[in-house]
Amino acid sequence: MLPSREMGAKSLKPPRLILHNFLTSEECKELEFIHKSSSTVGYRPNVFSTTLSHLIATNSSPFLIPFVPIREKLKEKVENFFGCEYELCIEFTGLISWCRGACIGWHSDDNRPYLKQRHFTAVCYLNSYGKDFKGGLFHFQDGEPTTLVPMAGDVAIYTADSCNIHAVDEIIEGERLTLTLWFSRDSAHDEDAKLISLLSKTMLHCSINMPEVKPPMLASINMYWFSLDLASHQQLGFDICLARMHVLGFDVCSCQAEGLLSDSTEILMEPLQLVRGKELFKQDFVNILHALQAVQFHHWKGSDLPNVQSEVQPGDVVRLSKSQQEAVRSLKSQFLKDHQAVEMIFSCTTTCSRNEQNFDWERFSATIVALKDYCCKLHKELLMSLPYWRSHGIIYSVPPEYS
């Protein structure tokens, strides 16, 4: 990691700290993968979010592991800078992305009665202004620096009160991604205690000796439905999981495609196969989230894999039949009703060719194997860490020698 350059002084008001290159490029990309594999429609227009409790609820608990060292480092920075060592707990951790049209005016982060427990804020930028999105500059109302230009790896730390009133410009293009944490002096709002309780319930029967990695499970289908126009929410919207795959050049086909041409909101919760152009990859994915994980992992790691021998067997990739083509079109007409909005919200920064003759299915198949290994590694680390978390009542990086 490049050395951090710190700006700020405790004696100056308003108190804030800007850290450059605090996160590595790989840490940023890993969190981006998690968010684009797991996010739901967020709390504001054109905003999408991934919370740690949501990851647990959707069988994606292993994805908590990459957050752990980052949360620790940020908490230490906040406590040291503001002189409140051992006084703080983490109140909230979340990945938040802002897409075209999203913005927020002047406000403080504790500006509601139910937010008064928030004392400090840390915003980690996971992608970069100009490269990944346009617009979305961060402005403080008073003091220096006045404006922050989001760059991947940088972090802004500041008090959550009216000393640091701020705003974010409207996103003009792309998707602006952050990891946001709030810290509190009130232990009644300790996020760790809630997460440990949830993990203890969901992983009650898991064993370190038999670590079964479960596929992801969708929350309510409505949590993935996005529309620019609330007045015609169902008529002119789209499923964000299918949309994120579509902009990367993939579609899906139901494993029972021949009989699923009628309207059914349950299709995306059932087994699916991936489609690219007119080719069908005949591997079953448990649901749309499972397929989305594979596509996003390929987008993140596919080009980094060493040269791979063929993992694709004869018959693994076949031409779509006419009935399957019709099934794909029918599914898209139901779940991608507003194609213009899909391209506007999730526009790709790179051109995604749908020419199946140029697509490396062997590398994609190897990526799926790598994804399984990645999830298994995280799952084992989670199983090893959870007893220590329960014992100490805090989520922290358990030293490898204790495994």
Side-chain angles (χ1 to χ4, degrees):
M1 183 189 300
L2 295 173
S4 297
R5 302 193 305 276
E6 299 188 5
M7 298 173 57
K10 298 176 188 179
S11 60
L12 298 178
K13 294 292 183 179
R16 62 185 64 135
L17 174 67
I18 312 302
L19 302 171
H20 298 286
N21 304 308
F22 184 77
L23 299 181
T24 66
S25 173
E26 192 62 13
E27 286 175 320
C28 292
K29 290 178 180 178
E30 184 171 23
L31 294 182
E32 180 180 6
F33 156 71
I34 292 171
H35 179 67
K36 291 185 176 180
S37 300
S38 312
S39 62
T40 61
V41 173
Y43 58 99
R44 299 181 61 83
N46 301 11
V47 170
F48 304 92
S49 64
T50 305
T51 65
L52 301 191
S53 59
H54 174 75
L55 291 175
I56 297 172
T58 54
N59 279 353
S60 299
S61 300
F63 287 169
L64 267 65
I65 291 298
F67 291 87
V68 176
I70 297 173
R71 291 167 91 244
E72 285 185 303
K73 289 191 298 180
L74 284 168
K75 184 170 179 285
E76 182 180 9
K77 279 292 182 184
V78 171
E79 289 180 332
N80 288 342
F81 183 70
F82 291 106
C84 49
E85 288 84 352
Y86 310 112
E87 293 181 16
L88 299 183
C89 63
I90 299 174
E91 189 260 353
F92 174 86
T93 308
L95 296 168
I96 304 171
S97 64
W98 298 45
C99 294
R100 182 172 173 179
C103 63
I104 188 169
W106 296 114
H107 70 286
S108 64
D109 288 340
D110 69 346
N111 65 346
R112 296 288 187 274
Y114 55 85
L115 300 178
K116 291 301 180 182
Q117 74 278 2
R118 293 180 173 175
H119 297 116
F120 304 102
T121 303
V123 178
C124 311
Y125 296 106
L126 303 181
N127 59 3
S128 297
Y129 172 83
K131 177 184 176 183
D132 302 300
F133 61 90
K134 297 178 182 178
L137 294 179
F138 183 105
H139 304 284
F140 285 111
Q141 193 173 57
D142 300 301
E144 295 294 337
T146 303
T147 298
L148 300 182
V149 178
M151 300 299 291
D154 290 357
V155 176
I157 294 172
Y158 50 91
T159 58
D161 58 13
S162 58
C163 289
N164 279 294
I165 292 176
H166 56 279
V168 177
D169 290 346
E170 181 176 341
I171 308 298
I172 305 302
E173 183 181 323
E175 187 171 8
R176 175 186 186 270
L177 179 58
T178 63
L179 168 66
T180 300
L181 283 80
W182 281 290
F183 301 86
S184 178
R185 289 191 174 94
D186 185 351
S187 61
H189 296 276
D190 186 359
E191 182 183 45
D192 283 13
K194 300 170 187 176
L195 295 174
I196 292 170
S197 176
L198 288 173
L199 285 168
S200 299
K201 294 175 183 177
T202 58
M203 304 184 70
L204 183 62
H205 302 294
C206 294
S207 168
I208 190 67
N209 297 318
M210 299 181 64
E212 178 189 1
V213 181
K214 297 180 180 179
M217 175 180 66
L218 275 83
S220 167
I221 201 71
N222 291 332
M223 295 179 69
Y224 304 96
W225 189 261
F226 174 83
S227 177
L228 289 171
D229 184 0
L230 295 179
S232 55
H233 184 65
Q234 292 300 327
Q235 291 75 21
L236 285 177
F238 57 83
D239 179 270
I240 63 173
C241 300
L242 192 59
R244 286 195 183 277
M245 294 172 61
H246 182 76
V247 297
L248 292 177
F250 291 88
D251 295 308
V252 293
C253 183
S254 170
C255 293
Q256 296 84 29
E258 310 284 344
L260 284 176
L261 301 183
S262 59
D263 182 81
S264 172
T265 58
E266 303 299 318
I267 294 177
L268 300 184
M269 295 184 174
E270 297 175 355
L272 300 164
Q273 294 175 338
L274 285 171
V275 172
R276 192 173 181 91
K278 294 185 178 179
E279 288 190 332
L280 175 70
F281 184 56
K282 295 194 68 176
Q283 174 168 328
D284 290 0
F285 295 90
V286 173
N287 53 43
I288 188 68
L289 273 187
H290 192 206
L292 177 61
Q293 278 187 9
V295 169
Q296 292 293 346
F297 194 82
H298 176 263
H299 186 63
W300 172 33
K301 285 290 191 181
S303 60
D304 296 337
L305 292 177
N307 291 332
V308 293
Q309 295 181 345
S310 177
E311 296 281 349
V312 179
Q313 303 300 318
D316 285 351
V317 180
V318 300
R319 300 284 293 183
L320 285 170
S321 67
K322 289 185 177 181
S323 61
Q324 288 170 331
Q325 292 179 44
E326 178 56 33
V328 172
R329 283 193 292 268
S330 177
L331 191 148
K332 287 164 64 177
S333 69
Q334 183 178 344
F335 292 101
L336 297 180
K337 294 181 178 180
D338 191 340
H339 283 266
Q340 185 176 359
V342 169
E343 296 298 330
M344 183 180 77
I345 296 296
F346 293 139
S347 56
C348 256
T349 54
T350 57
T351 302
C352 299
S353 172
R354 291 176 176 270
N355 186 345
E356 65 273 13
Q357 293 180 347
N358 294 330
F359 187 70
D360 190 346
W361 285 111
E362 293 182 1
R363 183 168 294 275
F364 185 83
S365 184
T367 302
I368 294 175
V369 175
L371 172 61
K372 290 179 180 178
D373 292 342
Y374 169 79
C375 291
C376 185
K377 176 179 177 292
L378 295 183
H379 186 62
K380 287 181 179 179
E381 187 172 344
L382 178 61
L383 288 174
M384 181 272 294
S385 301
L386 185 55
Y388 295 94
W389 295 353
R390 280 199 294 250
S391 175
H392 293 86
I394 187 172
I395 293 174
Y396 67 101
S397 298
V398 178
E401 57 266 26
Y402 292 129
S403 60

